[in-house]
Short mmCIF file of all heavy atoms in Angstrom, two decimals:
data_model
loop_
_atom_site.label_atom_id
_atom_site.label_comp_id
_atom_site.label_asym_id
_atom_site.label_seq_id
_atom_site.Cartn_x
_atom_site.Cartn_y
_atom_site.Cartn_z
N ARG A 15 -2.25 -26.24 28.73
CA ARG A 15 -1.15 -25.50 29.35
C ARG A 15 0.14 -26.30 29.34
O ARG A 15 1.23 -25.76 29.06
CB ARG A 15 -1.54 -25.15 30.78
CG ARG A 15 -0.50 -24.33 31.53
CD ARG A 15 -0.84 -24.26 33.01
NE ARG A 15 -0.71 -25.58 33.66
CZ ARG A 15 -1.16 -25.86 34.88
NH1 ARG A 15 -1.81 -24.93 35.57
NH2 ARG A 15 -0.98 -27.06 35.40
N ASP A 16 0.05 -27.61 29.60
CA ASP A 16 1.26 -28.42 29.76
C ASP A 16 1.82 -28.93 28.43
O ASP A 16 3.03 -29.13 28.32
CB ASP A 16 0.97 -29.61 30.67
CG ASP A 16 0.64 -29.19 32.09
OD1 ASP A 16 1.00 -28.06 32.47
OD2 ASP A 16 0.00 -29.98 32.81
N CYS A 17 0.95 -29.16 27.45
CA CYS A 17 1.40 -29.81 26.21
C CYS A 17 1.46 -28.88 25.01
O CYS A 17 2.26 -29.10 24.10
CB CYS A 17 0.49 -30.99 25.87
SG CYS A 17 0.48 -32.30 27.11
N ALA A 18 0.62 -27.86 24.98
CA ALA A 18 0.59 -26.98 23.81
C ALA A 18 0.37 -25.53 24.24
O ALA A 18 -0.61 -24.89 23.83
CB ALA A 18 -0.49 -27.42 22.84
N PRO A 19 1.24 -25.00 25.06
CA PRO A 19 1.02 -23.62 25.54
C PRO A 19 1.07 -22.59 24.43
O PRO A 19 0.53 -21.49 24.58
CB PRO A 19 2.16 -23.42 26.54
CG PRO A 19 3.22 -24.40 26.13
CD PRO A 19 2.49 -25.58 25.58
N ASP A 20 1.72 -22.94 23.30
CA ASP A 20 1.82 -21.99 22.19
C ASP A 20 0.73 -22.19 21.16
O ASP A 20 0.73 -21.54 20.11
CB ASP A 20 3.19 -22.12 21.53
CG ASP A 20 3.46 -23.53 21.01
OD1 ASP A 20 2.78 -24.48 21.49
OD2 ASP A 20 4.34 -23.71 20.16
N ALA A 21 -0.19 -23.12 21.41
CA ALA A 21 -1.28 -23.36 20.46
C ALA A 21 -2.18 -22.13 20.35
O ALA A 21 -2.43 -21.43 21.33
CB ALA A 21 -2.09 -24.57 20.87
N ARG A 22 -2.65 -21.89 19.16
CA ARG A 22 -3.57 -20.77 18.93
C ARG A 22 -5.00 -21.25 19.19
O ARG A 22 -5.39 -22.33 18.75
CB ARG A 22 -3.43 -20.31 17.48
CG ARG A 22 -4.29 -19.14 17.07
CD ARG A 22 -3.82 -18.58 15.74
NE ARG A 22 -4.80 -17.68 15.15
CZ ARG A 22 -5.59 -17.99 14.13
NH1 ARG A 22 -5.47 -19.19 13.55
NH2 ARG A 22 -6.45 -17.11 13.64
N VAL A 23 -5.80 -20.45 19.91
CA VAL A 23 -7.19 -20.78 20.19
C VAL A 23 -8.06 -19.68 19.60
O VAL A 23 -7.92 -18.50 19.95
CB VAL A 23 -7.47 -20.92 21.70
CG1 VAL A 23 -8.93 -21.27 21.94
CG2 VAL A 23 -6.56 -21.97 22.32
N VAL A 24 -8.94 -20.07 18.69
CA VAL A 24 -9.85 -19.13 18.03
C VAL A 24 -11.25 -19.32 18.62
O VAL A 24 -11.81 -20.42 18.55
CB VAL A 24 -9.89 -19.38 16.51
CG1 VAL A 24 -10.87 -18.42 15.84
CG2 VAL A 24 -8.50 -19.23 15.91
N ILE A 25 -11.79 -18.27 19.23
CA ILE A 25 -13.13 -18.33 19.82
C ILE A 25 -14.15 -17.89 18.77
O ILE A 25 -14.02 -16.83 18.16
CB ILE A 25 -13.23 -17.43 21.05
CG1 ILE A 25 -12.32 -17.97 22.16
CG2 ILE A 25 -14.68 -17.35 21.56
CD1 ILE A 25 -12.75 -19.33 22.69
N GLY A 26 -15.16 -18.71 18.57
CA GLY A 26 -16.20 -18.42 17.59
C GLY A 26 -16.61 -19.69 16.88
O GLY A 26 -16.03 -20.76 17.09
N ASP A 27 -17.62 -19.60 16.04
CA ASP A 27 -18.08 -20.76 15.28
C ASP A 27 -16.98 -21.22 14.33
O ASP A 27 -16.46 -20.43 13.53
CB ASP A 27 -19.35 -20.41 14.51
CG ASP A 27 -19.94 -21.62 13.80
OD1 ASP A 27 -19.50 -21.92 12.68
OD2 ASP A 27 -20.81 -22.29 14.39
N ALA A 28 -16.63 -22.50 14.41
CA ALA A 28 -15.49 -23.02 13.64
C ALA A 28 -15.72 -22.90 12.14
O ALA A 28 -14.78 -22.62 11.39
CB ALA A 28 -15.23 -24.48 14.02
N ARG A 29 -16.94 -23.11 11.71
CA ARG A 29 -17.19 -23.05 10.27
C ARG A 29 -16.93 -21.66 9.73
O ARG A 29 -16.30 -21.50 8.67
CB ARG A 29 -18.64 -23.48 9.99
CG ARG A 29 -19.04 -23.33 8.56
CD ARG A 29 -20.38 -23.96 8.26
NE ARG A 29 -20.95 -23.37 7.07
CZ ARG A 29 -22.06 -23.79 6.49
NH1 ARG A 29 -22.72 -24.83 7.00
NH2 ARG A 29 -22.53 -23.20 5.40
N ILE A 30 -17.37 -20.63 10.45
CA ILE A 30 -17.13 -19.26 10.02
C ILE A 30 -15.64 -18.93 10.09
O ILE A 30 -15.08 -18.30 9.18
CB ILE A 30 -17.95 -18.29 10.88
CG1 ILE A 30 -19.45 -18.54 10.69
CG2 ILE A 30 -17.61 -16.85 10.56
CD1 ILE A 30 -20.34 -17.74 11.61
N SER A 31 -14.99 -19.39 11.15
CA SER A 31 -13.56 -19.11 11.31
C SER A 31 -12.75 -19.77 10.20
O SER A 31 -11.83 -19.16 9.63
CB SER A 31 -13.08 -19.61 12.67
OG SER A 31 -13.77 -18.97 13.73
N LEU A 32 -13.06 -21.02 9.87
CA LEU A 32 -12.33 -21.73 8.82
C LEU A 32 -12.59 -21.12 7.45
O LEU A 32 -11.72 -21.13 6.57
CB LEU A 32 -12.71 -23.21 8.82
CG LEU A 32 -12.10 -24.05 9.94
CD1 LEU A 32 -12.77 -25.42 10.02
CD2 LEU A 32 -10.59 -24.22 9.74
N ALA A 33 -13.81 -20.59 7.25
CA ALA A 33 -14.12 -19.97 5.96
C ALA A 33 -13.25 -18.74 5.71
O ALA A 33 -12.99 -18.39 4.55
CB ALA A 33 -15.60 -19.59 5.92
N HIS A 34 -12.80 -18.09 6.79
CA HIS A 34 -11.96 -16.91 6.65
C HIS A 34 -10.47 -17.23 6.80
O HIS A 34 -9.64 -16.32 6.71
CB HIS A 34 -12.36 -15.85 7.68
CG HIS A 34 -13.72 -15.27 7.44
ND1 HIS A 34 -14.86 -15.79 8.00
CD2 HIS A 34 -14.12 -14.22 6.66
CE1 HIS A 34 -15.91 -15.08 7.61
NE2 HIS A 34 -15.49 -14.12 6.79
N ALA A 35 -10.14 -18.51 7.06
CA ALA A 35 -8.74 -18.90 7.22
C ALA A 35 -8.08 -19.06 5.85
O ALA A 35 -8.76 -19.25 4.84
CB ALA A 35 -8.66 -20.20 8.01
N PRO A 36 -6.75 -18.99 5.78
CA PRO A 36 -6.05 -19.18 4.49
C PRO A 36 -6.34 -20.56 3.90
O PRO A 36 -6.42 -21.56 4.62
CB PRO A 36 -4.57 -19.03 4.86
CG PRO A 36 -4.58 -18.26 6.15
CD PRO A 36 -5.82 -18.66 6.87
N ALA A 37 -6.51 -20.62 2.60
CA ALA A 37 -6.76 -21.89 1.92
C ALA A 37 -5.53 -22.79 2.05
O ALA A 37 -4.38 -22.32 1.99
CB ALA A 37 -7.08 -21.65 0.45
N GLY A 38 -5.77 -24.09 2.24
CA GLY A 38 -4.67 -25.05 2.34
C GLY A 38 -3.84 -24.89 3.58
O GLY A 38 -2.69 -25.36 3.63
#
């Protein structure tokens, strides 16, 4: 809250989330 209030938080297994994220 204090340091990165604009950070995006993705709920779910990170490996699956990263597999669907844009390359690079």
Side-chain angles (χ1 to χ4, degrees):
R15 182 191 67 192
D16 295 339
C17 298
D20 58 340
R22 181 167 166 256
V23 180
V24 178
I25 294 295
D27 185 275
R29 175 171 158 174
I30 297 174
S31 300
L32 284 168
H34 293 91

